[in-house]
């Protein structure tokens, strides 16, 4: 997964997950940590993306 901060592809998956269960990554270049939802329009939501999509569908 590419770093949303410096766009580097040299990122490493971390052992811990976010409170919503998303995988977290650390960039080897800028040491920025982010999760797999960082940089998407859904990151500010406090609900999992699939739940939000279900609600929108309804
Ligand atoms: Zn970076």
């Amino acid at each position: 997964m590419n770093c949303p901060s410096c766009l580097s592809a040299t990122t490493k998956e971390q052992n811990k997950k976010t409170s919503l269960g998303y995988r977290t990554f650390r960039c080897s270049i800028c040491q920025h940590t982010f999760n797999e939802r960082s940089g998407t329009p859904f990151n500010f939501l406090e609900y999992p993306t699939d739940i939000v999509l279900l609600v929108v569908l309804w």
Side-chain angles (χ1 to χ4, degrees), residues 3-8 11 27-32 34:
C3 171
S5 183
C6 69
L7 302 179
S8 164
T11 56
C27 176
S28 326
I29 306 296
C30 68
Q31 304 300 311
H32 191 93
F34 56 99

Side-chain angles (χ1 to χ4, degrees), residues 15-30:
N15 288 328
K16 72 182 182 92
K17 297 194 175 198
T18 68
S19 56
L20 291 177
Y22 291 104
R23 295 176 299 158
T24 59
F25 300 83
R26 175 182 286 273
C27 176
S28 326
I29 306 296
C30 68

Side-chain angles (χ1 to χ4, degrees), residues 3-58:
C3 171
S5 183
C6 69
L7 302 179
S8 164
T10 53
T11 56
K12 194 167 185 294
E13 185 168 352
Q14 306 289 287
N15 288 328
K16 72 182 182 92
K17 297 194 175 198
T18 68
S19 56
L20 291 177
Y22 291 104
R23 295 176 299 158
T24 59
F25 300 83
R26 175 182 286 273
C27 176
S28 326
I29 306 296
C30 68
Q31 304 300 311
H32 191 93
T33 55
F34 56 99
N35 66 60
E36 57 186 326
R37 207 165 69 157
S38 293
T40 73
F42 300 112
N43 198 39
F44 67 96
L45 298 170
E46 50 185 292
Y47 301 102
T49 307
D50 49 350
I51 301 295
V52 172
L53 292 178
L54 268 180
V55 170
V56 170
L57 189 67
W58 292 336

